[in-house]
């Protein structure tokens, strides 16, 4: 059931898979975060048309399973004449999907801000963008840190779905090793441990950030 | 330097301000008084275009506030950058202070100096510290706003506005959210500003402050300016029954304090 020699032999492959999981998720989240800010701004807009556009985005990308989104993007892009590598489709899928969730988390954070803080910023002449990046977002991020961490961890785990577009990320690598060695438990356990290490590290990091942010609060 | 002509404001069917005509001169201190819901805060907020007035006009140093004339003569909302430009010499202090809690006291005061005035960090820091000194809070520069008392927070908010060297300052019930024993320190700073010649419009329930510092007092009721004039004229000889009643209520409450001198607050 367990074979240490085979595990050591397979470890470089597992770590390469983990690396794919981490960087593809990181890129997807970074892009998704920008999308999230944009969609959230749409949803908070004074114009009804823009609000509906933001709402439609969220309905679509939150409503369709990530796996279907990934496959759709993977097969759609070549039809549009865009011959892109699989990793582009993977990052696009992760970003579009996490953008919808992050938009709603950020909106929740922004809605708790007292409107007077923004009025004070306006009267001092701060532009809309400066007010967003210097006054609103820093506070929204602090307020929603636990929810953001949840979303990050969920996305890292959901990134196992990008194996569907042919990328050997951690889950797919473990599957391959398990199939070729017949040591299923060993390699799935190894993958589980690696996922846990990443996600627990992130949780610890978020905990430190939270304590640092707490300083300013009475 | 600040003027309203025939200004009206409605919330749906409800008219909150009707045909307000008002002209404020340089270095004048004007206090707006009136019962709750009389429209005095809405008037002040309209003068800063935090509420968009519906009819009439507001001019800040001769420039129309909040609207532009389109080519066909109709008026359209100003772009945000234009609005900021017309408001560049206006400062405002709010009932709830509205400091930014994620920034230190010093950073609160420096923020607009850096991002709006485009000052270098060192220069902004020096100016911010000097302004905090003026409101007696230089030693709190590195504190977090939420660690300060309400009175201190409001003085920081005044410093934050003041650092931008406004020509006119609007105060929206600056002491109404404060514990009674903290009111005096804020009024003291405002009084000092008035003595230095700052143009001020103050919505307040502090009749003592209005009596001693205002050049002119406006009494609002149901969205109208019912009566206005020098504070002593208004307080001693109210012409309208509504103002007489309003002042009566106030004096009655204060007479309770006078009966127990130990409870009497020292304003100055």
């Amino acid at each position: 059931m367990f074979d240490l020699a085979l595990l050591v032999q397979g470890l470089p492959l597992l770590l390469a898979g983990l690396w794919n999981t981490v960087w593809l998720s990181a890129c997807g989240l970074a892009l998704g975060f920008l999308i999230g800010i944009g969609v959230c701004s749409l949803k908070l807009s004074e114009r009804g048309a823009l609000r509906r556009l933001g709402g439609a985005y969220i309905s679509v990308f939150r409503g369709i399973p990530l796996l279907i989104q990934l496959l759709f993007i993977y097969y759609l892009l070549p039809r549009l004449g865009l011959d892109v590598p699989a990793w582009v489709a993977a990052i696009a899928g992760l970003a579009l999907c996490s953008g919808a969730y992050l938009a709603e988390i950020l909106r929740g954070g922004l809605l708790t801000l007292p409107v007077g803080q923004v009025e004070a910023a306006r009267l001092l002449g701060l532009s809309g963008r400066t007010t967003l990046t210097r006054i609103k977002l820093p506070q929204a991020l602090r307020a929603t840190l636990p929810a953001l961490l949840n979303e990050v961890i969920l996305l890292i785990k959901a990134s196992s779905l990008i194996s569907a577009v042919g990328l050997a990320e951690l889950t797919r690598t473990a599957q391959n090793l398990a199939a070729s060695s017949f040591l299923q438990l060993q390699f799935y356990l190894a993958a589980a441990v690696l996922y846990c290490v990443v996600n627990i590290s992130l949780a610890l990091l978020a905990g430190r950030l939270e304590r640092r942010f707490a300083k300013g609060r009475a | 330097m600040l003027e309203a002509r025939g200004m009206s404001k409605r919330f749906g069917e409800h008219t909150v301000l009707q045909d307000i005509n008002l002209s404020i001169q340089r270095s004048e201190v004007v206090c707006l008084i009136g019962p709750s819901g009389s429209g005095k805060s809405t008037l002040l907020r309209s003068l800063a275009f935090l509420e968009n007035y519906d009819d009439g006009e507001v001019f800040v140093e001769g420039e129309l506030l909040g609207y532009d004339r389109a080519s066909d003569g109709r008026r359209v909302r100003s772009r945000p950058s234009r609005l900021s430009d017309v408001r560049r010499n206006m400062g405002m202090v709010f009932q709830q202070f509205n400091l930014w809690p994620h920034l230190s006291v010093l950073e609160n005061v420096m923020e607009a100096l850096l991002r709006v005035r485009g000052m270098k960090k060192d220069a902004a820091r020096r100016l911010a510290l000097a302004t905090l000194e003026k409101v007696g809070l230089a030693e709190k520069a590195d504190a977090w706003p939420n660690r300060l008392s309400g009175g201190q927070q409001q003085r920081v908010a005044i410093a934050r506005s003041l650092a931008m060297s406004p020509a006119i300052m609007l105060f929206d019930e600056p002491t109404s959210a404060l514990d009674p024993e903290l009111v005096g320190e804020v009024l003291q700073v405002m009084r000092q500003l008035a003595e230095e010649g700052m143009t001020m419009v103050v919505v307040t329930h502090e009749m003592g402050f209005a009596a001693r510092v205002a050049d002119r007092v406006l009494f609002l009721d149901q969205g109208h300016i019912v009566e206005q004039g020098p504070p002593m004229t208004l307080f001693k000889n109210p012409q309208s029954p509504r103002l007489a009643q309003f002042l009566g209520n106030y004096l009655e409450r204060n007479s309770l304090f006078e009966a127990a001198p130990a409870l009497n607050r020292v304003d100055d």
Side-chain angles (χ1 to χ4, degrees):
Chain A
M1 210 164 81
F2 294 99
D3 183 325
L4 200 60
L6 276 178
L7 180 64
V8 172
Q9 211 181 348
L11 200 59
L13 280 174
L14 282 172
L15 290 177
L18 176 67
W19 172 242
N20 277 342
T21 291
V22 168
W23 80 265
L24 290 166
S25 301
C27 291
L29 277 166
L31 266 178
F33 191 72
L34 295 178
I35 293 174
I37 292 174
V39 172
C40 172
S41 305
L42 287 178
K43 271 212 86 169
L44 294 173
S45 164
E46 287 177 13
R47 296 191 195 173
L50 295 182
R51 272 202 308 278
R52 282 192 292 280
L53 188 67
Y57 179 94
I58 290 167
S59 303
V60 169
F61 287 96
R62 203 175 51 182
I64 300 171
L66 179 57
L67 182 57
I68 308 252
Q69 288 182 43
L70 285 164
L71 291 170
F72 195 81
I73 293 167
Y74 185 60
Y75 290 109
L76 175 75
L77 291 179
R79 291 285 178 89
L80 297 174
L82 292 168
D83 192 15
V84 295
W87 63 267
V88 173
I91 289 176
L94 295 176
L96 290 167
C97 179
S98 62
Y101 287 96
L102 291 168
E104 284 298 81
I105 294 173
L106 289 175
R107 191 167 67 92
L110 290 176
L111 286 177
T112 63
L113 282 189
V115 64
Q117 284 189 28
V118 175
E119 291 181 343
R122 286 214 188 114
L123 258 287
L124 287 162
L126 268 62
S127 68
R129 190 200 289 186
T130 307
T131 306
L132 182 69
T133 57
R134 294 282 309 165
I135 307 299
K136 290 155 85 176
L137 274 183
Q139 295 189 68
L141 292 181
R142 283 160 165 81
T144 57
L145 196 61
L148 289 171
L149 175 70
N150 259 349
E151 173 56 23
V152 168
I153 288 178
L154 279 172
L155 189 90
I156 287 173
K157 292 187 296 177
S159 74
S160 64
L161 295 170
I162 58 185
S163 59
V165 296
L167 283 170
E169 43 62 67
L170 182 52
T171 301
R172 170 54 65 89
T173 307
Q175 262 174 343
N176 290 345
L177 288 168
S180 60
S181 66
F182 296 102
L183 295 170
Q184 287 88 350
L185 283 179
Q186 168 168 312
F187 285 108
Y188 288 134
L189 185 62
V193 169
L194 290 175
Y195 275 116
C196 262
V197 166
V198 169
N199 288 334
I200 291 172
S201 309
L202 283 171
L204 290 173
L205 188 71
R208 285 183 64 163
L209 275 178
E210 208 168 323
R211 279 192 294 281
R212 227 180 87 189
F213 292 158
K215 273 195 315 185
R217 314 238 156 233
Chain B
M1 65 185 311
L2 183 61
E3 191 179 2
R5 286 187 207 151
M7 184 185 63
S8 298
K9 169 74 189 164
R10 289 177 293 274
F11 289 128
E13 293 289 294
H14 180 59
T15 301
V16 228
L17 292 174
Q18 195 152 28
D19 195 27
I20 299 288
N21 291 290
L22 173 62
S23 175
I24 290 153
Q25 310 304 316
R26 190 169 294 275
S27 290
E28 195 178 13
V29 177
V30 174
C31 282
L32 303 178
I33 62 170
S36 304
S38 59
K40 52 193 192 305
S41 275
T42 308
L43 171 54
L44 192 80
R45 289 169 59 81
S46 299
L47 293 177
F49 211 71
L50 287 176
E51 306 286 352
N52 46 333
Y53 52 91
D54 297 305
D55 305 316
E57 287 146 335
V58 174
F59 293 95
V60 182
E61 295 178 288
E63 291 181 280
L64 182 63
L65 175 72
Y67 295 101
D68 290 313
R69 294 267 168 232
S71 48
D72 60 358
R74 286 179 39 201
R75 66 182 197 183
V76 291
R77 285 277 289 273
S78 293
R79 297 164 55 86
S81 57
R82 167 72 185 154
L83 181 58
S84 287
D85 193 40
V86 177
R87 280 198 298 222
R88 65 192 174 276
N89 290 328
M90 186 182 269
M92 185 156 177
V93 172
F94 302 85
Q95 183 176 356
Q96 299 298 337
F97 329 134
N98 293 334
L99 295 177
W100 303 310
H102 62 300
L103 300 177
S104 73
V105 163
L106 186 67
E107 287 167 332
N108 263 275
V109 182
M110 284 172 66
E111 188 64 22
L113 297 175
L114 294 172
R115 316 266 157 194
V116 181
R117 286 277 188 271
M119 285 173 77
K120 292 268 186 294
K121 212 162 183 178
D122 281 348
R125 196 187 159 80
R126 273 196 302 278
L127 177 52
L129 278 171
T131 318
L132 283 169
E133 180 78 58
K134 203 172 145 65
V135 299
L137 286 172
E139 81 279 10
K140 297 287 185 190
D142 295 320
W144 296 104
N146 291 347
R147 300 281 182 196
L148 304 183
S149 73
Q152 290 172 330
Q153 288 189 51
Q154 193 59 297
R155 281 148 65 199
V156 173
I158 292 174
R160 180 174 68 173
S161 250
L162 213 53
M164 296 293 283
S165 46
I168 181 161
M169 294 266 288
L170 309 180
F171 294 84
D172 188 5
E173 303 203 25
T175 59
S176 296
L178 298 177
D179 289 341
E181 76 267 27
L182 302 177
V183 169
E185 60 188 75
V186 172
L187 293 183
Q188 182 55 42
V189 168
M190 291 170 61
R191 186 172 186 166
Q192 182 192 332
L193 273 182
E195 279 163 7
E196 288 167 11
M198 177 65 75
T199 313
M200 294 165 61
V201 186
V202 186
V203 171
T204 190
H205 293 288
E206 296 292 330
M207 296 303 152
F209 177 82
R212 288 188 205 100
V213 182
D215 298 304
R216 181 156 51 120
V217 173
L218 269 65
F219 173 67
L220 260 83
D221 190 34
Q222 297 182 351
H224 295 271
I225 298 177
V226 177
E227 212 173 321
Q228 59 175 307
M232 281 313 146
T233 316
L234 223 69
F235 290 161
K236 295 244 165 74
N237 273 315
Q239 299 301 307
S240 65
R242 194 66 193 85
L243 176 57
Q245 186 196 350
F246 177 75
L247 292 171
N249 287 341
Y250 178 80
L251 290 174
E252 189 181 332
R253 209 183 58 206
N254 259 31
S255 67
L256 292 175
F257 280 113
E258 274 153 28
L263 291 175
N264 210 343
R265 188 171 61 238
V266 181
D267 271 355
D268 51 350

